Amino acid sequence: MKRYLVVAALGALTLGGCANSDIYSGNTYTGNQAKTARNVTYGTVTGVRPVTIQAGNENNSGLGGIGGAVLGGLLGNQFGGGSGRVLTTAVGGIGGAVAGSKVEDRVNQVSAYEIQVRTDSGQDMVVVQKADTPYQPGQRVRLIGSGNSMSIAPE
């Protein structure tokens, strides 16, 4: 029975790592963005800095904390006897939940670039997006969209 609980908990932790990080890519559009007109501005990259995007609640499934609590509780249950076993199970469950949440937070981080662009009209802009396309200072690019829905693509 315990073996099945361990397998189920490991499966839950594995699924927690399946967060969709492509939403931060300049090469991915949401369903709402498809078939809509978007502004295009041209410019030149003036700076690139590696950064990390910490995915918010949209990717937090809670499975890391739940799976960690189950595994920690099962591990804690192996120690002590009587009320001591109850205590080690509880401590293991709490510690496992904290550790599992931290693991899930780490899995939900995405390597990204902060790309600074000077538009042809002279405006300086910064866009942060997933580091799936390399950019270099001096490179010509297109800024697609506006406001909080902006991406950068090679010209």
Side-chain angles (χ1 to χ4, degrees):
M1 176 68 174
K2 288 182 182 179
R3 181 190 303 167
Y4 296 118
L5 288 175
V6 170
V7 170
L10 286 174
L13 284 173
T14 301
L15 288 175
C18 295
N20 181 9
S21 67
D22 283 342
I23 60 173
Y24 304 114
S25 172
N27 298 319
T28 302
Y29 289 91
T30 66
N32 291 336
Q33 292 171 327
K35 295 186 77 172
T36 60
R38 299 177 55 83
N39 295 328
V40 177
T41 305
Y42 294 89
T44 303
V45 174
T46 58
V48 178
R49 183 172 75 100
V51 296
T52 301
I53 299 172
Q54 177 65 55
N57 291 335
E58 70 271 7
N59 281 342
N60 191 354
S61 66
L63 290 176
I66 294 169
V70 170
L71 286 175
L74 287 173
L75 182 62
N77 193 42
Q78 303 303 310
F79 300 98
S83 61
R85 177 172 282 180
V86 171
L87 181 62
T88 59
T89 300
V91 168
I94 292 168
V98 170
S101 291
K102 295 289 183 193
V103 167
E104 185 173 15
D105 284 347
R106 182 75 175 137
V107 166
N108 284 336
Q109 289 183 346
V110 178
S111 295
Y113 293 130
E114 177 188 85
I115 309 161
Q116 184 172 342
V117 176
R118 173 156 291 165
T119 66
D120 290 348
S121 65
Q123 182 181 9
D124 287 320
M125 302 183 80
V126 171
V127 175
V128 176
Q129 67 186 35
K130 185 177 177 181
D132 56 356
T133 302
Y135 294 95
Q136 299 178 48
Q139 181 178 356
R140 294 284 297 164
V141 293
R142 295 179 296 144
L143 291 100
I144 305 164
S146 63
N148 65 354
S149 180
M150 175 80 72
S151 63
I152 294 179
E155 187 174 281

